[in-house]
């Protein structure tokens, strides 16, 4: 009788499989993928690391880290009750039941992530960037929540039916029905749809910020910052290159932040060099004015009191005092960056 009661605990999680919805393939996640309950598993007794028990433990930990316990407290508690019961069974191959629990922990993990992503999308007002994807995510999440609610309502009924059974492992399998992928599929669909909204939004932001960064770079080029502050200029350009790399590896938010930093850095560089060049030009203009005044004075002196003989310390008019300096062409110092992101 005690063994029968242990099996009754198992049903708190395995009831997820009793959904009457049509089975469908688990949707592909853009971040990670759920393992189907009917995939081939390693049943080797000495494979303690890769066995179903360890895999289920890992799936539970990921769901917990994703906030599934807070997002779906009743469902998470049901899975934990079943998992604890299964771990107490000795001498019984329960890999199939553990695989079911693993799949449901993964479904709760993905649903919790979908909820967190939806919260961020709502707070940042991103839904407008892809209304169709957002609506798809809303519908999928509602379906998932409905399925979870329907299944949990059957807990008492299925538990009572198990108490009257012989308590064999086959009784549990028969009670919960064939493995169902519906929950995992809906959770994955919700997450993928919300992620599409997030991805499209930050791609848009990244492209806009990249244009701003290039505009500030052109300002820096114009004031010859590539010559005046070569290393700083190079560091600013590398930020755009870093953003391009992040963008091409599906990290548009990272790219956006890199472009934003590049915009700010190039602007500060251009402003500073422009200001210093203006100050230097002002001093040059003042010096030229002083030279003109001296020249005018000298001309007047030559006119009214010209020198009749050569004076020591005064060179001939044709004398070259300094060697001519040939500066490198500033245009060659410019770091060229494509206007468009590769692959966009």
């Amino acid at each position: 009788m005690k063994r029968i009661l242990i099996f009754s605990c198992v049903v708190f999680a395995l009831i997820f499989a009793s959904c009457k919805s049509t089975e469908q393939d688990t949707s592909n996640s853009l971040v990670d993928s759920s393992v189907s309950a009917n995939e081939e598993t390693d049943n080797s007794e000495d494979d303690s690391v890769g066995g179903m028990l360890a895999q289920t433990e890992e799936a539970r930990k990921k769901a917990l880290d994703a906030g599934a316990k807070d997002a779906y407290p009743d469902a998470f508690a049901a899975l934990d009750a079943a998992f604890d019961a299964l771990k107490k069974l000795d001498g019984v191959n329960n890999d199939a039941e553990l695989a079911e629990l693993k799949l449901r922990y993964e479904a709760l993990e993905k649903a919790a992530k979908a909820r967190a992503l939806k919260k961020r999308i709502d707070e940042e007002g991103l839904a407008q960037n892809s209304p169709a994807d957002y609506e798809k995510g809303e519908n999928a999440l509602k379906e998932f929540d409905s399925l979870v609610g329907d299944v949990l309502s059957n807990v008492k009924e299925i538990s009572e039916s198990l108490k009257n059974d012989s308590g064999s492992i086959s009784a549990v399998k028969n009670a919960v029905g064939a493995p169902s992928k519906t929950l995992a599929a809906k959770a994955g669909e919700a997450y993928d749809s919300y992620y599409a909204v997030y991805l499209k939004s930050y791609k848009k932001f990244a492209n806009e910020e990249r244009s701003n960064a290039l505009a500030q770079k052109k300002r820096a080029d114009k004031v010859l910052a590539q010559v005046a502050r070569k290393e700083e200029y190079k560091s600013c350009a590398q930020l755009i290159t870093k953003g391009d790399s992040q963008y091409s590896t599906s990290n548009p938010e990272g790219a956006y932040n890199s472009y934003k930093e590049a915009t700010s850095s190039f602007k500060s560089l251009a402003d500073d060099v422009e200001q210093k060049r203006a100050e230097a030009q002002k001093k040059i203009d003042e010096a030229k004015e002083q030279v003109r005044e001296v020249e005018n004075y000298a001309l007047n002196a030559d006119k009214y009191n010209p020198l009749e003989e050569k004076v020591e310390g005064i060179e001939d008019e044709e004398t070259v005092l300094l060697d001519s300096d040939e500066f490198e062409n500033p245009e060659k110092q410019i770091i060229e960056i494509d206007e468009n992101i590769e692959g966009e």
Side-chain angles (χ1 to χ4, degrees), residues 283-302:
K283 291 180 180 179
I284 290 173
D285 291 342
E286 290 174 350
K288 286 181 177 179
E289 182 60 30
Q290 291 177 355
V291 169
R292 279 194 293 270
E293 291 177 358
V294 171
E295 288 177 346
N296 290 336
Y297 179 82
L299 288 174
N300 288 329
D302 286 343

Side-chain angles (χ1 to χ4, degrees), residues 119-270:
K119 183 174 183 291
R120 182 176 178 183
I121 288 170
D122 291 343
E123 289 176 347
E124 296 184 18
L126 305 180
Q128 60 183 339
N129 295 311
S130 187
D133 287 315
Y134 183 79
E135 184 178 1
K136 186 177 179 182
E138 293 282 270
N139 293 334
L141 192 59
K142 286 178 182 177
E143 287 187 55
F144 176 86
D145 292 346
S146 177
L147 286 171
V148 170
D150 290 343
V151 172
L152 288 177
S153 67
N154 295 327
V155 170
K156 183 176 180 180
E157 178 184 348
I158 299 177
S159 297
E160 291 299 325
S161 68
L162 281 175
K163 288 180 182 179
N164 299 323
D165 198 88
S166 63
S168 66
I169 195 71
S170 61
V172 178
K173 296 178 181 179
N174 292 334
V176 301
S180 170
K181 300 178 183 178
T182 305
L183 283 172
K186 285 301 172 185
E189 183 181 347
Y191 180 82
D192 289 352
S193 298
Y194 287 131
Y195 187 78
V197 176
Y198 159 82
L199 194 67
K200 291 175 182 178
S201 296
Y202 273 92
K203 276 191 172 185
K204 174 185 175 184
F205 300 156
N207 276 289
E208 291 173 349
E209 196 57 50
R210 189 176 191 274
S211 296
N212 293 336
L214 290 177
Q216 292 302 323
K217 177 185 175 297
K218 289 177 180 178
R219 279 191 61 221
D221 293 341
K222 188 175 181 180
V223 296
L224 306 182
Q226 69 274 22
V227 175
R229 306 260 278 278
K230 180 183 280 188
E231 292 304 316
E232 190 175 345
Y233 174 87
K234 187 185 297 183
S235 296
C236 294
Q238 287 172 345
L239 286 171
I240 298 181
T241 303
K242 177 184 177 182
D244 290 349
S245 177
Q246 291 169 315
Y247 191 97
S248 64
T249 55
S250 297
N251 182 12
E253 185 176 1
Y256 166 73
N257 290 328
S258 293
Y259 295 145
K260 190 173 182 179
E261 186 179 354
T263 299
S264 176
S265 298
F266 265 127
K267 183 179 185 303
S268 296
L269 177 61

Side-chain angles (χ1 to χ4, degrees), residues 69-139:
K69 189 173 183 178
D70 293 328
Y72 296 94
D74 293 339
F76 199 88
L79 291 180
D80 277 356
F83 194 25
D84 289 342
L86 284 174
K87 286 188 287 187
K88 293 176 182 177
L89 295 179
D90 295 324
V92 177
N93 186 336
N94 54 12
D95 279 358
E97 287 67 41
L98 287 172
E100 283 294 310
L101 288 181
K102 176 176 176 289
L103 181 61
R104 283 152 183 73
Y105 275 126
E106 289 170 344
L108 288 185
E109 176 200 357
K110 192 57 64 69
K113 286 182 176 180
R115 283 192 167 278
L117 200 49
K118 167 184 164 54
K119 183 174 183 291
R120 182 176 178 183
I121 288 170
D122 291 343
E123 289 176 347
E124 296 184 18
L126 305 180
Q128 60 183 339
N129 295 311
S130 187
D133 287 315
Y134 183 79
E135 184 178 1
K136 186 177 179 182
E138 293 282 270
N139 293 334

Side-chain angles (χ1 to χ4, degrees), residues 11-71:
V11 78
F12 275 77
L14 300 184
I15 38 82
F16 287 116
S18 64
C19 296
K20 297 181 180 179
S21 302
T22 304
E23 292 188 9
Q24 50 187 292
D25 292 335
T26 305
S27 61
N28 293 326
S29 169
L30 298 178
V31 175
D32 48 32
S33 57
S34 297
V35 179
S36 172
N38 60 358
E39 284 185 0
E40 184 179 351
T41 58
D42 186 353
N43 295 330
S44 175
E45 292 182 1
D46 60 354
D47 189 7
S48 58
V49 177
M52 280 309 308
L53 183 62
Q55 292 180 38
T56 307
E57 287 277 13
E58 180 64 19
R60 181 188 183 278
K61 182 180 182 301
K62 289 182 177 180
L64 190 63
D65 292 343
K69 189 173 183 178
D70 293 328

